[in-house]
Amino acid sequence: QVRKRRSAMADSKVTSDRLLDGPVGTDPMGPGPLDCRQNCHNPECERRHLDAVEQSRWNAEGGFRYPRKPSLVITASRDMGRTASTWVFNAVRLLFREGREACDSYWMRDLTKEKLEQRLALGAHVLVKTHEWTGNISAADFESIAPMFSHVVVSVRDGFPEDPAWMRVATHVTHFEDIVRHSKDGSKIGAVPVLRDLAEHLGIEGLSESQLHDVDYQLMTLPIPGDQTTKFWPFHARRGGRPQPTASPSVE
């Protein structure tokens, strides 16, 4: 018990060093200048689209905290690459949400220093889903903004070409085959270790195995098509042939 108490105290100190009770930046109680309307269905919209849980950051009961130093997380893949990159984007978003760390997520085709700095200034983590940058911005412009990225998560799949420009700066790689792997009876779910590795890579601490299973369930039950919050569009397929869960893991 003493060992557990000391471990909990150590975890609490690490979390307190990483997170604050209020934003370092100027995050306004929504809707702010970067916020879009709810249920936006414009696939190219680059504004912020928080879900109801994420919006509870402005309520004390929501339990959200802001990072002392916001991360800038890029989730990248080839356009229409069929690598489960949108699953990965939502996995990052929901892992931050599960850890009650304030995170703003965006779609952005053309990355610029001005747009990234504007979003980081709010004080939350910034998550950006994007595809190839070649052809959209110059190599010189990319090299000037690449040092801003704290994490670059690239999605790949066997038999499909990788994006060499993003692979060159990747800090973490997710494999489609790991995400969709599962046993017939559903007792082994490959996505859960993927989520665990993602959480560790992002520095999200204290998530239990049960919480990771809950995040997996949330990912498997997000509506398709969705909207700009999830960035699931009509052309997205259900995840890799895994059977749709019939009940939350918390009630099974």
Side-chain angles (χ1 to χ4, degrees):
Q1 287 183 339
V2 172
R3 188 180 296 112
K4 288 182 179 179
R5 193 180 306 119
R6 286 176 177 170
S7 176
M9 290 172 64
D11 290 345
S12 176
K13 183 180 187 306
V14 171
T15 302
S16 65
D17 288 343
R18 172 181 167 84
L19 302 174
L20 301 169
D21 291 327
V24 176
T26 57
D27 190 13
M29 182 177 293
L34 288 176
D35 289 302
C36 188
R37 67 184 187 280
Q38 289 185 336
N39 301 318
C40 170
H41 291 89
N42 175 5
E44 293 298 325
C45 181
E46 296 187 348
R47 291 186 174 274
R48 182 170 69 172
H49 306 81
L50 301 177
D51 66 24
V53 176
E54 291 165 328
Q55 291 177 37
S56 71
R57 70 172 62 165
W58 292 296
N59 302 324
E61 298 78 13
F64 279 88
R65 299 176 69 186
Y66 287 80
R68 188 176 299 275
K69 182 178 181 181
S71 295
L72 174 51
V73 184
I74 305 294
T75 58
S77 70
R78 284 187 177 276
D79 198 359
M80 302 297 289
R82 299 172 66 185
T83 58
S85 62
T86 306
W87 183 97
V88 173
F89 162 81
N90 280 290
V92 172
R93 182 177 69 85
L94 294 179
L95 285 168
F96 276 123
R97 194 182 80 170
E98 191 71 22
R100 288 301 189 264
E101 298 191 22
C103 175
D104 294 338
S105 56
Y106 302 90
W107 157 255
M108 201 177 296
R109 189 174 295 278
D110 300 334
L111 303 172
T112 70
K113 184 177 182 181
E114 179 183 10
K115 288 192 286 190
L116 295 173
E117 287 181 339
Q118 183 184 28
R119 285 152 178 78
L120 283 167
L122 299 186
H125 296 301
V126 171
L127 167 62
V128 176
K129 174 178 168 60
T130 192
H131 293 307
E132 298 96 330
W133 59 264
T134 49
N136 295 314
I137 61 175
S138 69
D141 286 341
F142 180 79
E143 294 300 328
S144 71
I145 61 174
M148 299 176 65
F149 310 150
S150 61
H151 307 79
V152 177
V153 181
V154 179
S155 302
V156 299
R157 180 176 181 176
D158 290 348
F160 290 76
E162 299 173 352
D163 186 322
W166 278 117
M167 289 297 289
R168 184 171 59 83
V169 296
T171 62
H172 189 80
V173 177
T174 59
H175 296 264
F176 174 88
E177 293 74 18
D178 294 335
I179 294 169
V180 301
R181 185 177 293 117
H182 65 281
S183 59
K184 287 186 178 180
D185 62 2
S187 60
K188 295 182 179 180
I189 301 173
V192 172
V194 175
L195 292 170
R196 186 186 305 112
D197 290 345
L198 270 173
E200 290 178 358
H201 180 66
L202 297 168
I204 304 171
E205 299 161 334
L207 295 184
S208 67
E209 197 74 6
S210 175
Q211 286 176 293
L212 294 175
H213 278 271
D214 282 341
V215 171
D216 174 68
Y217 173 80
Q218 293 161 27
L219 288 163
M220 284 296 294
T221 54
L222 288 173
I224 296 178
D227 55 25
Q228 257 294 358
T229 300
T230 66
K231 298 169 181 37
F232 274 126
W233 303 116
F235 55 79
H236 284 108
R238 184 57 64 185
R239 277 114 336 223
R242 276 181 59 192
Q244 191 73 3
T246 56
S248 168
S250 61
V251 298
E252 290 179 341

